[in-house]
Amino acid sequence: EAEVAQSPRYKITEKSQAVAFWCDPISGHATLYWYRQILGQGPELLVQFQDESVVDDSQLPKDRFSAERLKGVDSTLKIQPAELGDSAMYLCASSLGEGSETQYFGPGTRLLVL
Amino acid sequence: DQQVKQNSPSLSVQEGRISILNCDYTNSMFDYFLWYKKYPAEGPTFLISISSIKDKNEDGRFTVFLNKSAKHLSLHIVPSQPGDSAVYFCAASAGGGSQGNLIFGKGTKLSVKP
């Protein structure tokens, strides 16, 4: 069964350091999403790609976060510099990209900033 | 203001009985609703969805009911099994494109006791 791949699964870093997360969506899925989930809350969208283009990055803290999907397949989310409040689960999801539809999530990257 | 609300943070049910998880929403533009199941340190797993043109969708032990006039949906699990113990998230989206991102509730932790 096709799955969304993410790496690393866990990341511990010190504040002010740079971190990067990688996501490989399900093959053929045009839409890719990055979500952040804080403990006790539901996931919240950070950025949405349609192929290689950003569709929605209104909730992305652009002073420190960046995301790219250069070839419209896999994607990287970067934080620089990391802050204590960035500790959370970072989730990648993908969908076919044809309107309201099911999104499939990867296992996530749990980030701890010390 | 939360657009998707899960007002019960937790629910405890005996094995073999019915589990009913509830979700309310405020945005009348939502046209697609999903339930996800999440274990600790893992990404959300898609369970079942329903389009706003339907009022019921069933998949094995899982049934989702949608009451558009009340802006309410519920997930029924019958019979409940200990392996169903997890956090359940209700999510909604509106029309695809830049509105296709999912808005999640805060989740309900289900405990199924043997």
Side-chain angles (χ1 to χ4, degrees):
Chain A
E1 182 176 309
E3 295 181 342
V4 176
Q6 286 188 250
S7 67
R9 291 292 307 274
Y10 303 92
K11 179 70 178 178
I12 300 174
T13 191
E14 294 184 345
K15 63 179 182 180
S16 80
Q17 296 299 303
V19 292
F21 314 130
W22 177 80
C23 171
D24 192 12
I26 293 172
S27 178
H29 280 196
T31 309
L32 184 148
Y33 308 81
W34 283 102
Y35 289 85
R36 177 170 59 185
Q37 184 184 14
I38 297 170
L39 199 61
Q41 304 288 321
E44 294 184 340
L45 181 74
L46 290 173
V47 61
Q48 177 186 348
F49 289 92
Q50 180 70 26
D51 299 309
E52 68 276 8
S53 300
V54 173
V55 173
D56 183 357
D57 64 356
S58 57
Q59 301 303 311
L60 188 71
K62 298 181 189 63
D63 57 336
R64 297 184 301 108
F65 285 65
S66 64
E68 60 184 17
R69 194 184 183 198
L70 294 176
K71 297 183 179 179
V73 180
D74 59 337
S75 175
T76 302
L77 178 69
K78 297 179 181 177
I79 309 175
Q80 181 173 19
E83 295 181 353
L84 296 178
D86 296 332
S87 295
M89 173 79 90
Y90 290 82
L91 295 161
C92 179
S94 71
S95 67
L96 282 169
E98 298 174 351
S100 292
E101 58 188 358
T102 302
Q103 295 178 24
Y104 297 91
F105 284 81
T109 297
R110 181 167 292 282
L111 174 66
L112 178 61
V113 182
L114 302 175
Chain B
D1 185 33
Q2 270 200 294
Q3 297 186 64
V4 177
K5 299 179 184 179
Q6 293 177 258
N7 292 319
S8 298
S10 62
L11 174 67
S12 183
V13 172
Q14 205 68 30
E15 181 180 5
R17 307 294 290 266
I18 184 171
S19 295
I20 300 176
L21 297 99
N22 293 302
C23 178
D24 297 294
Y25 61 96
T26 58
N27 188 342
S28 57
M29 298 300 292
F30 287 146
D31 63 355
Y32 193 62
F33 304 88
L34 308 91
W35 284 94
Y36 287 86
K37 173 181 178 180
K38 188 179 184 300
Y39 294 116
E42 294 185 11
T45 300
F46 169 70
L47 271 179
I48 192 168
S49 62
I50 187 167
S51 165
S52 60
I53 63 174
K54 295 186 175 181
D55 55 18
K56 176 182 175 181
N57 189 25
E58 189 172 355
D59 184 1
R61 296 187 298 114
F62 302 92
T63 303
V64 56
F65 296 91
L66 175 62
N67 182 335
K68 285 190 297 181
S69 61
K71 293 190 175 68
H72 176 84
L73 64 155
S74 60
L75 175 67
H76 293 209
I77 306 173
V78 183
S80 301
Q81 299 173 353
D84 296 330
S85 297
V87 177
Y88 288 78
F89 288 97
C90 170
S93 72
S98 63
Q99 302 301 312
N101 77 83
L102 296 177
I103 307 298
F104 284 83
K106 291 187 176 183
T108 296
K109 183 176 182 179
L110 174 65
S111 298
V112 180
K113 305 196 173 190

